[in-house]
Amino acid sequence: DRFSIAIGELEYDDQFMAILSYDGRFPQPWSRVDVDREIADIGYLRLTEYNDPMPVALSNEGDVYTMLPGGTDWSKIPGTGILSEDADGRGDVYNFLIDGTRCFVLGRSGQLYQRDKLGEWETLSLERTSEPGYRPEAFGYVTVAADGSVVISSSQQPASPTGRLTHDPRFRADMSATELGALMAQRRHEAAGGSHITRLYRFDGRSFSRLDIPEDLHIRNIHTDPMGRIWIVGVDGLILRGRPEDGFGRLDFHGDTETLHSATWFQGELIVASGYMLHRFDGHRLTPLKPKLNDPFRNRNTPTPMKLQTVGDVMFYFDYKHGVCRWDGESWDWIDIPPALLERDFKGFPTP
């Protein structure tokens, strides 16, 4: 009965972002914290001085906001970000992993940071160098393995080619946006002598070891199920399953053309989200998750999934356009967000 989300408008010169927290134990369950940064990820942190886990939000500049009962604790990971005064070229951060009292933050240039509770941030990894033709490696998705080690995906993109796009003999002034995008991707591929590279690492708290997976994958999410198996989903129906000590194998299935954005284990099966639908995966095929989201009065018949997350016997579904919904395995329960909370200038709730 508790979750946090970020809403906002990310105009370059007039940015607005708010963190909304919901606690269903109270008659008025909502609270809001406004920040002047783009929120990249949210999690919940265990602190010994509080009975309940506390919501924590990460900005792409490395700001970390912990929403405590008495106010918001703010910290900044030194050197991170692009626009921050202390940014030193490392680039942005964009992913969180919170495991009990431990908190990990990941980003570009091989950035990996750790802190325990509300302590100081420790730099575990930072790599700005790269092989010829490529940008520095960027850490991406992350999960905790059964033994407590951390499994991290990374991607390395071809560097931008030299020379103006308009000087390329293949360029035409009447090219569509799709054609221009394809030409730019082809130029990056040629400049690097190859396409993007995906890797998977295991971090045991002291050192990294590389895990064996194909390098041409496009990963979108990593999830550990209650049995300790790690599921990796992504582009073109990508589903990998395995353990760091045993290796990973691809599970092929009929119609494996969907991009899978998120995965969670719920009531003994894997639930995955494509760009427009939620699915069950039985190890051999994807089938639509039923009952479907079916509230035509709110235009929720066409989902735009963002994230799936299981907490106990409830699955939370977060939708880019439609908000937050809970599923108990039989019925959907949409959580209505008061319109006043969604306004840029929040003046409080209307008087009853």
Side-chain angles (χ1 to χ4, degrees):
D1 56 3
R2 275 152 279 177
F3 63 86
S4 291
I5 58 175
I7 62 166
E9 300 169 1
L10 299 177
E11 286 85 353
Y12 178 76
D13 57 347
D14 191 19
Q15 183 166 283
F16 154 67
M17 183 67 73
I19 304 163
L20 308 183
S21 294
Y22 178 93
D23 190 332
R25 297 172 298 175
F26 298 100
Q28 197 299 95
W30 293 99
S31 61
R32 168 169 155 166
V33 174
D34 288 20
V35 296
D36 59 358
R37 295 292 198 190
E38 178 182 344
I39 298 301
D41 206 355
I42 295 179
Y44 274 76
L45 179 69
R46 289 282 182 185
L47 297 172
T48 54
E49 56 266 45
Y50 301 104
N51 293 326
D52 301 317
M54 298 290 112
V56 185
L58 169 73
S59 85
N60 59 349
E61 294 288 324
D63 304 273
V64 182
Y65 306 91
T66 305
M67 274 63 78
L68 302 174
T72 302
D73 175 84
W74 170 85
S75 70
K76 172 69 167 63
I77 304 174
T80 56
I82 299 173
L83 303 176
S84 300
E85 291 184 1
D86 69 335
D88 60 9
R90 306 178 190 192
D92 58 336
V93 291
Y94 38 72
N95 212 343
F96 237 172
L97 171 66
I98 301 181
D99 180 32
T101 65
R102 295 189 305 166
C103 181
F104 297 90
V105 170
L106 300 87
R108 300 188 193 281
S109 301
Q111 293 181 82
L112 178 64
Y113 308 98
Q114 175 187 254
R115 78 170 178 179
D116 188 59
K117 301 178 184 177
L118 298 180
E120 297 296 321
W121 288 100
E122 176 187 0
T123 301
L124 301 177
S125 171
L126 176 62
E127 181 56 71
R128 295 181 181 145
T129 62
S130 61
E131 52 219 64
Y134 281 86
R135 300 174 185 171
E137 190 171 21
F139 286 149
Y141 300 93
V142 60
T143 190
V144 176
D147 63 356
S149 63
V150 178
V151 175
I152 302 169
S153 71
S154 79
S155 63
Q156 198 162 15
Q157 301 295 334
S160 299
T162 58
R164 295 170 61 89
L165 175 66
T166 53
H167 293 168
D168 191 304
R170 294 166 293 187
F171 173 81
R172 303 190 317 274
D174 62 348
M175 294 180 79
S176 67
T178 300
E179 291 171 328
L180 283 171
L183 178 56
M184 292 170 67
Q186 180 64 23
R187 282 162 53 84
R188 288 194 298 269
H189 181 280
E190 294 167 352
S195 58
H196 87 284
I197 299 172
T198 294
R199 300 183 181 95
L200 192 67
Y201 296 104
R202 178 186 191 179
F203 179 71
D204 63 6
R206 299 178 303 277
S207 60
F208 289 88
S209 57
R210 185 173 172 183
L211 304 175
D212 184 28
I213 62 169
E215 290 189 345
D216 60 348
L217 305 179
H218 292 267
I219 295 173
R220 292 291 180 268
N221 192 225
I222 305 178
H223 177 71
T224 303
D225 69 21
M227 286 77 74
R229 300 175 300 181
I230 294 176
W231 298 81
I232 300 173
V233 300
V235 176
D236 292 331
L238 171 66
I239 300 181
L240 294 177
R241 184 182 64 193
R243 293 180 173 88
E245 61 272 19
D246 300 328
F248 293 83
R250 181 158 187 164
L251 303 179
D252 294 318
F253 58 94
H254 179 69
D256 55 350
T257 59
E258 301 284 354
T259 293
L260 306 178
H261 297 283
S262 185
T264 191
W265 190 264
F266 181 69
Q267 295 188 350
E269 61 184 350
L270 188 73
I271 309 297
V272 296
S274 65
Y276 62 93
M277 185 182 292
L278 306 181
H279 312 260
R280 283 186 165 97
F281 180 66
D282 62 5
H284 304 284
R285 61 176 180 155
L286 293 179
T287 56
L289 181 62
K290 295 181 179 180
K292 293 183 179 180
L293 303 169
N294 56 356
D295 190 344
F297 300 104
R298 302 188 183 185
N299 190 30
R300 285 175 173 156
N301 278 337
T302 305
T304 50
M306 179 180 181
K307 186 176 183 179
L308 299 171
Q309 189 171 5
T310 298
V311 181
D313 57 358
V314 173
M315 187 186 81
F316 281 86
Y317 165 59
F318 299 90
D319 190 290
Y320 278 106
K321 295 181 180 178
H322 307 311
V324 185
C325 192
R326 292 178 296 203
W327 190 51
D328 61 8
E330 296 182 0
S331 60
W332 296 99
D333 174 27
W334 285 99
I335 308 234
D336 289 321
I337 303 176
L341 270 177
L342 305 178
E343 296 294 330
R344 177 183 285 263
D345 186 15
F346 176 57
K347 295 183 173 64
F349 296 111
T351 302

